[in-house]
């Protein structure tokens, strides 16, 4: 690791100002939020943009609010602010539980939800969680209308997003939690970042599974939603889910996740982790949904 190269920090007070700065400074500039990823990239010598556009002062990107039937979290809200927010605790307690296990407290104190999504590191807790939660993001460039899309559409691949030049992620949106639903997020880490993340959203009606969203991340190049799980699980007894069906879903998840071999393990090992953790998450979510 090297020392940081010199750079200028330009503070933007609005989305318009950030877009103007990014346009004027061109290829020399990059958006800077908490800096937990960006400054690491600098330290490793993978980037040396001389101009950082700091978006933390922008009021539009701040705040947590339950409004219009959803939970809105500004892009520059830190992991720690989410973890400690009474609004999130009241409206989406599973999100608090997930955030509590992101990195360590130093990372959570400065790292932001928007920075996590925009960096699009394959090893991410929030991306997997938000896909299972049915989360969406909004983005805006100065002088243009806001766009909104599901989280899985934002993520185009490793370290690649659907953001256009000069565009900022402004907020994350989560649908309100309905009675008879639960979301369970589980992870395993052998190093700093997660080696596997699995999240299962289950809705129950008349004691049977009526809706499922299963997401698997951190094992392949991008998190995936396991669409095959949805059909397989519909109508299943939520109290005693058939182990053969859960095994079939685990198999579908292991295939959909397309694990890659790396320092966390071989493809076969990761496939087995996906099978076991997917079945476990779904069982737990079904049990919780019955009581919710
Ligand atoms: C030791 C360590 C452990 C970690 N462990 C975990 C973990 O367990 N789970 C996990 O999920 N993550 C983990 N992380 C990653 C951490 O969650 C992210 O580093 C953090 O959330 C990134 O946010 P940031 O504000 O620091 O991003 P920055 O470093 O400021 O920015 C990251 C990237 O996003 C762009 N960007 C930032 N905000 C916006 C925006 N609003 N609009 C457009 N572009 C933007 C920047 O240009 C940059 O390319 C870990 C990181 C470290 C260093």
């Amino acid at each position: 690791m090297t020392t940081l190269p010199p750079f200028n920090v330009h503070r933007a007070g609005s989305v318009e100002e950030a877009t103007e700065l990014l346009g004027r400074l061109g290829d020399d500039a990059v958006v800077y939020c908490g800096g937990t990823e960006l400054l690491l990239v600098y330290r490793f010598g993978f980037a040396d943009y001389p101009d950082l556009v700091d978006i933390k002062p922008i009021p539009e990107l701040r705040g947590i609010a339950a409004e219009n039937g959803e939970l809105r979290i500004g892009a520059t809200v830190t992991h720690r602010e989410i973890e400690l927010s009474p609004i999130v605790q009241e409206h989406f307690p599973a999100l608090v539980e997930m955030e509590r296990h992101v990195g360590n407290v130093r990372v959570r104190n400065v790292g932001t939800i928007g920075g996590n999504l925009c960096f699009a590191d394959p090893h991410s807790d929030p991306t997997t969680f938000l896909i299972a939660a049915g989360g969406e993001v909004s983005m805006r460039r100065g002088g243009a209308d806001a766009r909104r899309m599901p989280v899985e559409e934002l993520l185009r691949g490793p370290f690649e997003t659907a953001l256009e030049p000069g565009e900022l992620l402004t907020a994350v949106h989560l649908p309100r939690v309905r009675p008879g639903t639960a979301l369970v997020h589980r992870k395993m880490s052998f190093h700093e970042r997660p080696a596997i993340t699995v999240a299962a959203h289950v809705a129950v009606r008349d004691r049977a599974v009526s809706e499922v969203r299963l997401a698997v991340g951190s094992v392949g190049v991008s998190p995936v939603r396991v669409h095959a799980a949805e059909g397989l699980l519909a109508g299943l007894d939520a109290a005693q889910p058939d182990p053969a069906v859960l095994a079939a879903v685990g198999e579908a998840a292991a295939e959909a996740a397309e694990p890659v071999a790396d320092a966390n393990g071989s493809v076969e090992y990761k496939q087995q982790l996906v099978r076991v953790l997917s079945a476990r998450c779904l069982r737990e979510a079904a049990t919780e949904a019955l009581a919710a």
Side-chain angles (χ1 to χ4, degrees):
M1 247 196 277
T2 57
T3 52
L4 288 174
F7 51 75
N8 308 304
V9 177
H10 307 263
R11 293 199 162 75
S14 65
V15 172
E16 281 66 25
E17 216 175 301
T19 302
E20 190 277 322
L21 278 164
L22 289 164
R24 179 156 48 82
L25 298 165
D27 290 345
D28 284 348
V30 67
V31 172
Y32 163 67
C33 200
T36 57
E37 299 288 22
L38 202 58
L39 298 184
L40 209 56
V41 165
Y42 270 54
R43 268 191 201 285
F44 280 114
F46 296 144
D48 57 357
Y49 300 98
D51 294 292
L52 305 188
V53 176
D54 184 1
I55 58 169
K56 287 190 291 297
I58 303 177
E60 183 181 332
L61 273 53
R62 300 271 332 135
I64 299 177
E67 57 189 20
N68 306 322
E70 63 179 24
L71 184 66
R72 178 199 183 273
I73 303 176
T76 59
V77 171
T78 65
H79 296 296
R80 187 78 171 147
E81 286 172 317
I82 298 172
E83 182 190 344
L84 299 177
S85 162
I87 300 176
V88 182
Q89 181 62 52
E90 182 186 343
H91 292 274
F92 223 120
L95 179 59
V96 170
E97 189 54 29
M98 180 276 286
E99 287 288 2
R100 191 170 287 149
H101 296 100
V102 168
N104 55 52
V105 75
R106 284 189 309 167
V107 169
R108 295 201 296 279
N109 267 333
V110 279
T112 61
I113 186 87
N116 186 294
L117 294 176
C118 294
F119 197 58
D121 185 321
H123 304 272
S124 156
D125 286 284
T127 52
T128 309
F129 181 96
L130 290 168
I131 290 171
E136 296 191 343
V137 285
S138 46
M139 51 256 265
R140 195 167 82 75
R141 184 171 41 191
D145 288 342
R147 301 196 290 150
R148 185 164 160 156
M149 62 179 64
V151 168
E152 54 260 58
E153 283 178 30
L154 171 75
L155 303 167
R156 288 277 165 88
F159 310 105
E160 201 188 326
T161 68
L163 285 171
E164 289 174 359
E167 196 171 41
L168 299 184
L169 192 88
T170 52
V172 173
H173 310 266
L174 287 125
R176 185 162 291 190
V177 175
R178 288 178 282 119
T181 66
L183 198 160
V184 169
H185 176 90
R186 294 285 176 259
K187 72 190 280 187
M188 284 176 71
S189 305
F190 310 127
H191 307 285
E192 274 175 349
R193 313 293 171 112
I196 176 168
T197 44
V198 178
H201 158 92
V202 171
V204 168
R205 194 182 306 133
D206 298 332
R207 303 190 66 76
V209 172
S210 60
E211 186 187 287
V212 174
R213 276 191 303 271
L214 176 67
V216 179
S218 310
V219 291
V221 293
S222 282
V224 294
R225 180 168 164 186
V226 185
H227 290 279
E230 290 152 31
L232 285 167
L233 289 161
L236 203 69
D237 179 354
Q240 287 183 313
D242 183 344
V245 175
L246 289 180
V249 172
E251 207 51 58
E255 194 172 319
E258 295 186 16
V260 293
D262 61 16
N264 288 314
S266 65
V267 170
E268 294 73 19
Y269 176 65
K270 289 185 176 189
Q271 283 173 330
Q272 184 59 7
L273 286 183
V274 175
R275 287 184 195 105
V276 172
L277 227 51
S278 297
R280 188 180 299 168
C281 277
L282 286 164
R283 241 191 334 262
E284 287 182 27
T287 305
E288 279 187 29
L290 274 172

